[in-house]
Amino acid sequence: MQVTLIAGGVGGARMALALQEALPPGDLTVIGNVGDDCEHWGLSISPDLDTVLYTLTGRIDPVNGWGVAGDTRRLMDTAIELGEDDWFILGDKDVALHVARTRRLRAGEALSSITADVARRWGCATRLVPATDDRLRTWIATDDGELPFQEWLVRRRAADPVAGVRFEGIEEATPAPGVLAAIAAADGIRAAIADRRDDVVAVSPVIGGKAVKGPLVEMLASMGHRPDAIGVARYLQPLAGAYVLDPEDAGLADDLDALAMRAIVVPTLLKEPAVRAGVAAAVLA
Ligand code: FO1
C-alpha cells in the first residue's frame, strides 16, 4: 500500500516513524515542510526535513525532539567566541548536514535531490520529499513587526502574539518532483489533497487544548481561532475526511460531525512504540 504523509516538526516526524514502523519498507513517502527553513551562520537549514530524517534513521535527540542524539557543540562554542549569534543551537553533527546541503544548493542541486541522497546514504526506508524546491519562508506578524519564523519561535521564544502568518514565495512555489505523484496528479498540492479528501486522514496535533510541542495553541488563539483540536480541524476540513483525536478530546467528536469529518479516537501521544502502532493501524485502516 502506498501511503503519503505530509508532515513537519517533531509531531509529524513521530507520525512518520509510526507509519514507517507499520508499513513494509518502500511503502511510505513523507512530504516535508520547508516553510520553517532558514539561513543561519550562512548555512541553509531545513529543520523539519532534518527532524523527519533524524527520527526515521534513529538519530534524533529524544529529549529535544530535534537535532542529533548526543551531539556536541564544539563548533558552536568557537563560533560564539568569534561573535556569531548564539540563539539557534547547531550541534556538531547537525552542522555537517547543513554544510553539505549548503554547498550542494550553491552548486545548483535541488533540495529534493540532496534530501533523497542523504536519506539513501543513511539507509532511510522512507522516501522523504520537500514540498517544494523553491524558496518558501514563513513570516510571523507581531506588534514588533514581521519576524522570520525561527526568530519568532526560537530567538523570541514564541512570546509575541501572532497577528498573522505570511508564506513568502507560496504563490510562485511549485511542488518538488514526486510530490504530486505521491498524492495524485493535479495542479497544486492543496488541490491534489482535496481531490483525495475521502482517503486523507489528519492527526490532531493538539491534545486536551495543548500542543505536545511548540506554540501552535497560542498561535491559534492570537489569530482568533478556537485554541483546540477543532480549531485545527476547521482549517483542515476541505482537505481531510477523517481526523484522529486523542481520547482526552473524545467529547469533540460531535464538532467533527458538523465539519463532515469522521472522528477516529485513539491515543495520539506518539512517544511510545505501542501508541505509534495504534495510531498507524487506525490511520491505515
Ligand atoms: N528549536 C529550539 O527551540 N531551539 C533551537 O536552538 C533550535 C535549533 C535547531 C537547529 C536545527 C534544527 O533542525 C532544529 C532546531 N530547532 C530548535 C527546532 C526548530 O526550531 C523546530 O523544530 C521547527 O522549526 C518547528 O517545526
Side-chain angles (χ1 to χ4, degrees), residues 8-10 33 36 45-48 50-51 54 65-67 87-90 94 98 149-150 153-154:
V10 176
N33 175 41
D36 294 8
I45 301 174
S46 297
D48 283 3
D50 295 352
T51 298
Y54 291 148
W66 49 269
W87 58 270
F88 198 64
I89 294 167
L90 293 178
D94 194 31
H98 309 318
F149 180 75
Q150 295 294 344
L153 178 71
V154 176

Side-chain angles (χ1 to χ4, degrees), residues 62-81:
V63 178
N64 287 331
W66 49 269
V68 180
D71 211 351
T72 47
R73 296 186 191 166
R74 299 180 65 175
L75 186 147
M76 180 157 183
D77 288 344
T78 307
I80 293 169
E81 276 173 28

Side-chain angles (χ1 to χ4, degrees), residues 216-230:
L216 171 63
V217 171
E218 293 75 15
M219 287 179 87
L220 287 168
S222 60
M223 293 177 76
H225 299 297
R226 238 175 96 162
D228 62 7
I230 297 302

